[in-house]
Amino acid sequence: MSVEHRHDPQPCGLPADRQFIVVSNREPYVHRHGPAGVEVERPAGGLVAALDPVMQAVRGTWIAWGSGDADFEVADAAGRVMVPPGEARYVLRRLRLSRDEVDGFYNGYANQALWPLCHMAMEHARFRRRAWEVYQAVNARFADAVAEEARGDAFVWIQDYHLARCPRALRRARPDLFLMHFWHIPWPAWDVFRACPQSADLVDGLLANDLVVFQHPRHAQHFIECAEREVGARADAEREGVEYDGRMVRVAAIPISVDFATWDATSRSRAAQRWMTRLRGRLGARDRLLAVSVDRLDYTKGIPERLRAIDLFFRRFPQFRSRVVFVQKCAPSRTGIRAYRELQQRVEAEIARLNATYGTPGWQPVVYLPRPLPPPAMAALYRMADLCIVSSLADGMNLVAKEFVACQVDGRGVLALSELAGARDELPWALPVNPYDAEGCAEIIAAGLRMPAEERGERMAHLRRAVEEHDIGRWLREHLRLAARLAAGRAPTEWLLDRTMPLRQRLDAGRALALLLDFDGTLARLVDDPARAEIPAAVRASLARIARADGTLVAVISGRALGDIRARVGLYGLVYAGNHGLEMSGPGWNWSHKGAVGAREALAAALTALRARLRRVPGVLIEDKGYSASVHYRRTPAPRVEEVRVAVMEEVARVAGARLAVRRGKQVLEIRPAVDWDKGAAARWLLVRTYGDGWPERAAVVYVGDDRTDEDAFVALGDDAVTVRVGAGSAPTAARYAVRSVEEVHRFLELLETWMRPAVAAGGASADGR
């Protein structure tokens, strides 16, 4: 599917002055010989759809295997060609691979060793030493190409399991680069992964990255365990990563998605409507129910198991015979590998048997569609379906489930989704399927086809909202913002109290002061009981006097509830932002984020479940803040901390699905609405509201905070503010300056007060109302 809209790279957090390089096995444009000469194809898939507009906007470089038979006829001697054709917005650097390299690297190691290993299909795994040697050599070639194309401090984004050793080769050649890696498929538990003879080398390769991202938190945890056991890396739960070879590697989970808007629009198009009419006749589905499965022909997709369930369905529920048509859209894949050829033969034989057993002259129970369909036809098939069955045996995500939801514009279809697919946790309103339980699967098929229209509509409305809010654009933004924050944290940080002159110069130049402050760990010391946190009277008095100056903005931006933070500071004339900026108030105004208001019911349900599950875990404090919640484990015994983390992740996913998100802080797990909003967005919103779009020229902005949540603000404000991290040395930071303690923050406020005295004398009423 092509993307009609463009992703602005700056909201994604990508610095405008740094080169952006994508490295993948698959290329975004393929040149092939056709009837009319050389033709250009754009491969389908979410990755190309998401990244191509960004690459065009930032004029980056994409490095990939040139797989088209005309690829190098249109490229220069180094394999470079400008794309898109006719627009020339960025460089596509192609690598020419020989047949032996393709056999060893792609067919051999990537797809006969890593693919079955990561999907726990060990009966298909083949660990051949020669294939491993070719895999390493090709990975080194990719690294050489990146090193040739990359300028200093470039961002390099490596994709998937084909390139696990590329980061290590690149790190040796170019230690100045920022490397990040997205692993699209599952990462298995160590008990499975240890069966690979090259397990330590694979982990070592990925740990050369600065950031490694997986589809699911469980996969990230599996990787961290493998890193500990295979190469002796040290897990750091507070910093959400591992220390290895003298470096900190951030490990995260950001699930990929689909372009909801494009699928939705395509399914509503006239072309899709014409395809719906055509397909109903072609499939024999007029006046019949339609069940659809869409898969690449792969042993991980559970196709034989699904056909077994369909057989049982017709036996146990004979009333559905002649009333339902099952469509198996199944594209042949990796036909150069024997296991895939045998699977194709097995699937085709089983479909033929089912049709011979149950079919009638006027009804074909299972329709097999092995050939590609254009996007409007796929959208039509999804839209027409009464039931979509996704019953994979193992999946990092499974985008078919999300594509189906995006095309269900009529809200009448039901999604039956494998419990073993990564998408299951994001889409809890789907009917759960255990692909190994044929009888249970048959019962789920019957339940889905019988489901009342009202329940269908309610479930699909929840599913569509979840996929729309967590689309491919959000996946991209979260990736790049995290990368930008980590990259900024590699810059040297200076002690604020030793370098006050730049701020003094901004104030002396006539700029108004905008002072933005966190509360816990910044104005008040961190304490075991959040209810006991308070700021000293002298600090409150300093804030009051600073806020009195004309044009000055003093704001406290906290994770606490708005009413709580306002009461603890207790000064009139300040701006208060609670729940990380989801709710704010100032003199004469109040504001709340719409998405936060809409998620309150889901938050309440999640907290009810967590209180029940964690009631016997000592030291846990669950703090309900209205629009968000905090699960504190500062006083929980260390052996049980992981139990708390797992409970929060699982219960939030089970109860709320995609409506809520979990984020770690200092010995606390924050549960928030899954909206694109944080302290950085809140800070910028306040500055624009107070000073207009030209706030960087009108205000001397200072932001001081101590937590991961404040890093969002450090990145969002960048060089337009004096950003200060409290507690230097606890973690890498994007802040330009640092102070060692809360007491140094208090000293800084006293210093600010002395600078502001002339303006305070000219100001109006004091901030405490006197």
Side-chain angles (χ1 to χ4, degrees):
M1 295 292 293
S2 63
V3 179
E4 301 300 329
H5 61 279
R6 297 283 179 93
H7 299 300
D8 182 347
Q10 296 316 308
C12 288
L14 189 65
D17 60 343
R18 294 181 72 165
Q19 184 186 16
F20 188 53
I21 297 175
V22 170
V23 192
S24 67
N25 173 64
R26 178 181 291 188
E27 57 184 334
Y29 295 90
V30 183
H31 288 83
R32 300 190 190 280
H33 289 289
V38 175
E39 300 174 350
V40 181
E41 296 177 5
R42 191 167 181 232
L47 180 68
V48 171
L51 290 182
D52 184 66
V54 174
M55 297 298 283
Q56 292 187 43
V58 303
R59 298 186 179 273
T61 299
W62 194 315
I63 298 173
W65 165 31
S67 58
D69 58 13
D71 272 353
F72 293 93
E73 295 177 21
V74 298
D76 67 14
R80 300 185 188 93
V81 61
M82 296 299 295
V83 292
E87 296 185 50
R89 300 298 301 273
Y90 69 91
V91 174
L92 171 58
R93 167 76 183 271
R94 289 167 167 156
L95 266 67
R96 189 194 301 269
L97 300 184
S98 68
R99 181 174 297 179
D100 286 345
E101 285 177 317
V102 172
D103 285 343
F105 154 72
Y106 181 76
N107 291 327
Y109 199 81
N111 288 314
Q112 292 191 68
L114 288 180
W115 178 268
L117 172 72
C118 290
H119 288 87
M120 294 171 289
M122 298 305 293
E123 69 275 18
H124 296 288
R126 303 291 183 269
F127 300 104
R128 299 184 177 93
R129 185 170 299 177
R130 175 56 185 160
W132 167 245
E133 292 170 352
V134 175
Y135 178 87
Q136 291 191 94
V138 171
N139 272 241
R141 288 192 57 200
F142 271 93
D144 290 342
V146 175
E148 291 171 8
E149 300 293 332
R151 299 192 299 270
D153 77 358
F155 278 87
V156 180
W157 196 2
I158 303 166
Q159 301 293 324
D160 221 356
Y161 65 101
H162 311 89
L163 299 170
R165 286 295 297 172
C166 179
R168 178 56 62 194
L170 193 51
R171 178 66 65 196
R172 292 192 187 105
R174 293 291 302 274
D176 56 320
L177 302 177
F178 184 92
L179 307 182
M180 55 183 179
H181 204 124
F182 184 66
W183 193 266
H184 292 248
I185 63 177
W187 188 277
W190 178 70
D191 284 342
V192 175
F193 185 72
R194 65 192 296 195
C196 175
Q198 296 82 28
S199 54
D201 289 325
L202 291 167
V203 170
D204 172 80
L206 289 172
L207 288 178
N209 289 287
D210 296 281
L211 169 64
V212 184
V213 182
F214 297 89
Q215 299 273 20
H216 194 282
R218 182 173 59 252
H219 303 155
Q221 288 301 317
H222 287 168
F223 175 75
I224 290 172
E225 182 185 7
C226 290
E228 290 180 296
R229 290 178 176 268
E230 293 293 334
V231 298
R234 187 178 70 84
D236 188 327
E238 288 300 316
R239 294 163 71 179
E240 299 178 278
V242 296
E243 285 188 17
Y244 177 67
D245 195 26
R247 301 174 56 254
M248 187 69 196
V249 182
R250 179 75 156 82
V251 181
I254 305 175
I256 199 169
S257 191
V258 298
D259 183 2
F260 181 92
T262 297
W263 278 108
D264 179 90
T266 304
S267 66
R268 298 176 191 271
S269 67
R270 291 183 179 179
Q273 291 174 15
R274 289 193 295 269
W275 270 103
M276 287 172 68
T277 301
R278 190 182 314 169
L279 286 170
R280 285 204 179 276
R282 177 179 170 185
L283 302 175
R286 290 193 178 95
D287 301 321
R288 289 191 173 103
L289 296 169
L290 184 66
V292 169
S293 292
V294 177
D295 304 280
R296 190 171 49 77
L297 194 66
D298 191 286
Y299 48 75
T300 66
K301 302 302 180 183
I303 302 170
E305 290 80 2
R306 184 185 310 140
L307 295 174
R308 167 68 175 155
I310 291 172
D311 188 4
L312 284 174
F313 167 77
F314 282 129
R315 277 193 267 159
R316 292 191 57 186
F317 303 97
Q319 64 270 32
F320 280 103
R321 296 181 188 180
S322 296
R323 290 181 51 207
V324 60
V325 173
F326 289 88
V327 173
Q328 179 61 63
K329 174 72 184 71
C330 202
S333 172
R334 301 170 186 163
T335 53
I337 299 174
R338 180 178 176 182
Y340 286 82
R341 296 194 300 271
E342 292 176 348
L343 176 65
Q344 182 174 353
Q345 294 167 5
R346 180 183 173 192
V347 166
E348 291 174 353
E350 181 61 15
I351 290 174
R353 188 192 68 80
L354 287 172
N355 287 332
T357 302
Y358 299 106
T360 66
W363 171 60
Q364 182 177 334
V366 183
V367 178
Y368 180 52
L369 299 178
R371 293 183 179 178
L373 290 175
M378 286 301 306
L381 189 62
Y382 285 137
R383 181 176 175 179
M384 292 164 54
D386 299 283
L387 176 67
C388 178
I389 308 170
V390 177
S391 56
S392 44
L393 306 181
D395 248 329
M397 178 51 55
N398 194 289
L399 295 180
V400 166
K402 296 184 177 184
E403 291 171 358
F404 168 71
V405 168
C407 293
Q408 275 287 309
V409 297
D410 305 306
R412 49 183 293 276
V414 175
L415 174 63
L417 180 57
S418 172
E419 296 172 334
L420 306 180
R424 170 61 189 159
D425 287 346
E426 289 189 274
L427 305 175
W429 304 277
L431 296 180
V433 173
N434 182 336
Y436 292 102
D437 179 6
E439 292 182 347
C441 188
E443 291 169 355
I444 288 293
I445 292 171
L449 295 174
R450 288 170 169 168
M451 186 178 291
E454 183 178 356
E455 183 180 352
R456 286 169 172 259
E458 183 178 346
R459 284 176 178 268
M460 186 52 66
H462 284 301
L463 289 167
R464 283 178 59 80
R465 189 179 305 116
V467 176
E468 183 176 17
E469 291 176 356
H470 293 76
D471 68 349
I472 191 70
R474 180 164 181 161
W475 171 81
L476 178 65
R477 290 192 299 274
E478 289 186 5
H479 250 100
L480 297 184
R481 284 175 179 168
L482 178 55
R485 184 192 311 156
L486 293 172
R490 291 174 23 164
T493 302
E494 299 180 273
W495 297 111
L496 175 66
L497 297 181
D498 296 336
R499 296 281 295 170
T500 58
M501 187 57 66
L503 175 60
R504 183 65 185 269
Q505 289 172 342
R506 294 188 188 194
L507 293 170
D508 289 345
R511 299 187 185 189
L513 174 65
L515 180 60
L516 313 178
L517 301 155
D518 181 30
F519 183 79
D520 294 280
T522 300
L523 288 174
R525 286 183 179 180
L526 291 172
V527 291
D528 288 342
D529 183 358
R532 297 175 58 194
E534 61 182 11
I535 59 174
V539 175
R540 182 179 285 108
S542 290
L543 287 175
R545 286 189 286 269
I546 292 170
R548 195 187 310 170
D550 286 340
T552 296
L553 167 67
V554 178
V556 181
I557 304 178
S558 172
R560 291 176 177 265
L562 178 60
D564 183 19
I565 192 61
R566 189 163 43 201
R568 289 183 186 280
V569 177
L571 292 173
Y572 178 77
L574 274 63
V575 171
Y576 296 98
N579 282 298
H580 306 281
L582 291 172
E583 51 176 348
M584 296 188 241
S585 73
W589 62 271
N590 293 280
W591 178 89
S592 297
H593 194 291
K594 290 182 180 179
V597 175
R600 292 182 73 168
E601 183 178 339
L603 179 64
L607 294 184
T608 299
L610 280 171
R611 289 189 181 101
R613 182 165 172 177
L614 295 174
R615 68 185 184 279
R616 299 186 186 280
V617 179
V620 174
L621 174 63
I622 299 177
E623 182 185 4
D624 185 352
K625 299 181 288 188
Y627 290 126
S628 70
S630 296
V631 180
H632 301 271
Y633 54 87
R634 187 178 303 276
R635 293 186 290 180
T636 300
R640 304 200 67 177
V641 166
E642 189 60 25
E643 179 183 348
V644 177
R645 292 196 184 104
V646 170
V648 172
M649 295 293 184
E650 290 184 350
E651 293 300 329
V652 167
R654 182 182 65 82
V655 173
R659 290 171 291 176
L660 298 175
V662 178
R663 187 165 182 184
R664 291 179 179 176
K666 282 188 176 179
Q667 295 183 304
V668 63
L669 293 167
E670 303 282 358
I671 306 172
R672 305 186 212 165
V675 294
D676 198 8
W677 194 260
D678 52 34
K679 284 187 176 181
R684 292 181 70 93
W685 187 90
L686 279 174
L687 291 168
V688 171
R689 187 186 191 280
T690 306
Y691 303 108
D693 291 333
W695 63 265
E697 289 75 41
R698 297 172 186 151
V701 181
V702 180
Y703 188 105
V704 188
D706 77 309
D707 196 52
R708 283 190 187 86
T709 58
D710 298 302
E711 293 291 333
D712 295 318
F714 300 154
V715 172
L717 299 175
D719 292 336
D720 292 323
V722 173
T723 51
V724 185
R725 176 75 183 242
V726 185
S730 61
T733 179
R736 184 68 180 86
Y737 300 94
V739 293
R740 296 173 179 84
S741 63
V742 171
E743 287 71 25
E744 287 198 359
V745 175
H746 298 168
R747 285 176 53 197
F748 173 64
L749 293 177
E750 293 172 359
L751 186 62
L752 270 181
E753 184 187 347
T754 63
W755 293 349
M756 300 295 292
R757 277 174 185 163
V760 169
S766 66
D768 59 8
R770 295 195 296 268

